[in-house]
Amino acid sequence: MLVIFGLILVALIAIVGGDRGVMSLIALAGNLLILCIAIWLIASGVPVFPVTICLSVVICCITLFYQNGINRKTLSAFTAVLITIFILFFAIYYVVCKSGSGGLNEIQSVSEDVLYYNMNLNIPMQKVMAAVVLLSTLGAVTDMALTVSTSLYEVKIHKPDMSNTELFQSGMQIGKSILGTTVNTLLFAYLGESMILFAYLRMQKQSLGILLNSRLLFQNCIFMIFGALSCVLVIPISTLLMKKLCGGNHDRCKRKCEKNFGGYS
């Protein structure tokens, strides 16, 4: 059944998206391959954080540069993503370590499948948890950064005489317009998993305090909160970077871009 639905998805993406759809599928396959290699390296004992950093950079390169080319929009989005991830990395690691939220949650620990596996993995699970939270924010923050950069670029193209202040205000307004839907998507994606926990604790007649202090709920909240924080932070960062790249005289920026990147796009 999964193979059938997967083939249907691939066919629809290729038909509807055309060449760009095929490129998206290739990029997705590349990202999955890189992710598998990263998991194998971590399982082999390679330090978690260096693998995670390299994985994040490679995924960003594939997602942005392979599908959209090397231009001001993708360079701005790539830089904004790296800055945002760097800022959030320390906060994520601190929260995960202080809360001890790594490892299996309540639902996973009572699963019958766990009985068949050896839990002595010799892997720092809190570092793995921090890496998972970091990678979970990557998709949303990359999408937000590219959206803001591309939209702001189009604004500058159609209004080349805009001042830097007006350009920055336009970028912030673009980010505000799409922030609500992105946060809602993250909310339902992560907290939706907690419905299993709600049902389980309700059947066991557990108290509200146990629910609010459960590891599963806390893990999902971490994913949601840091995902939303990354999207909020990347908006002004992307706007500032695009203002730096697009600001000033339109013809001078065009000549500079053609010299550095081989085209004005």
Side-chain angles (χ1 to χ4, degrees):
M1 185 64 69
L2 290 177
V3 174
I4 294 174
F5 281 116
L7 292 175
I8 293 175
L9 175 62
V10 170
L12 289 176
I13 291 177
I15 294 172
V16 176
D19 294 338
R20 294 301 296 270
V22 174
M23 291 179 65
S24 298
L25 291 173
I26 296 174
L28 177 60
N31 287 335
L32 290 175
L33 177 62
I34 297 299
L35 180 60
C36 291
I37 295 175
I39 294 173
W40 178 79
L41 290 174
I42 292 175
S44 300
V46 180
V48 176
F49 290 150
V51 174
T52 304
I53 293 171
C54 294
L55 175 64
S56 301
V57 173
V58 173
I59 288 178
C60 284
C61 289
I62 294 175
T63 303
L64 292 172
F65 298 137
Y66 175 74
Q67 296 186 83
N68 302 282
I70 300 177
N71 49 60
R72 290 187 299 170
K73 295 170 286 187
T74 53
L75 287 171
S76 173
F78 178 75
T79 307
V81 170
L82 294 186
I83 294 173
T84 304
I85 293 299
F86 177 78
I87 293 173
L88 288 179
F89 169 78
F90 300 99
I92 291 173
Y93 185 60
Y94 176 79
V95 170
V96 171
C97 289
K98 292 293 288 186
S99 62
S101 58
L104 302 178
N105 56 49
E106 296 86 353
I107 301 298
Q108 294 169 336
S109 60
V110 300
S111 174
E112 295 181 356
D113 295 336
V114 176
L115 301 175
Y116 299 101
Y117 296 99
N118 182 9
M119 294 294 103
N120 298 321
L121 302 178
N122 296 320
I123 296 176
M125 296 308 297
Q126 289 187 345
K127 292 184 179 181
V128 172
M129 180 64 183
V132 171
V133 175
L134 192 68
L135 291 175
S136 69
T137 67
L138 199 58
V141 72
T142 302
D143 180 66
M144 178 69 77
L146 185 60
T147 301
V148 172
S149 299
T150 302
S151 301
L152 201 56
Y153 170 80
E154 293 297 329
V155 170
K156 182 63 177 179
I157 287 297
H158 290 88
K159 295 187 67 177
D161 297 328
M162 289 183 66
S163 65
N164 287 344
T165 302
E166 293 175 330
L167 198 63
F168 180 80
Q169 292 174 348
S170 297
M172 294 300 295
Q173 190 60 44
I174 292 168
K176 293 176 184 178
S177 301
I178 59 179
L179 182 61
T181 55
T182 303
V183 172
N184 272 305
T185 301
L186 295 172
L187 173 66
F188 289 111
Y190 294 127
L191 289 186
E193 298 182 15
S194 300
M195 293 179 63
I196 302 175
L197 177 64
F198 299 155
Y200 176 77
L201 294 180
R202 178 67 182 86
M203 293 172 62
Q204 300 295 322
K205 301 185 183 304
Q206 300 291 343
S207 64
L208 180 62
I210 293 178
L211 172 63
L212 296 178
N213 289 282
S214 64
R215 179 174 293 185
L216 174 60
L217 181 61
F218 186 79
Q219 288 176 348
N220 289 333
C221 287
I222 288 179
F223 288 128
M224 183 199 69
I225 291 173
F226 280 108
L229 277 175
S230 65
C231 292
V232 173
L233 284 175
V234 82
I235 291 173
I237 294 174
S238 298
T239 303
L240 287 172
L241 289 172
M242 282 303 294
K243 186 187 76 170
K244 180 72 174 177
L245 290 173
C246 293
N249 182 268
H250 185 66
D251 293 332
R252 179 169 57 84
C253 290
K254 181 175 181 179
R255 291 193 300 270
K256 182 179 179 181
C257 190
E258 288 175 345
K259 178 182 179 181
N260 295 334
F261 308 124
Y264 186 59
S265 58

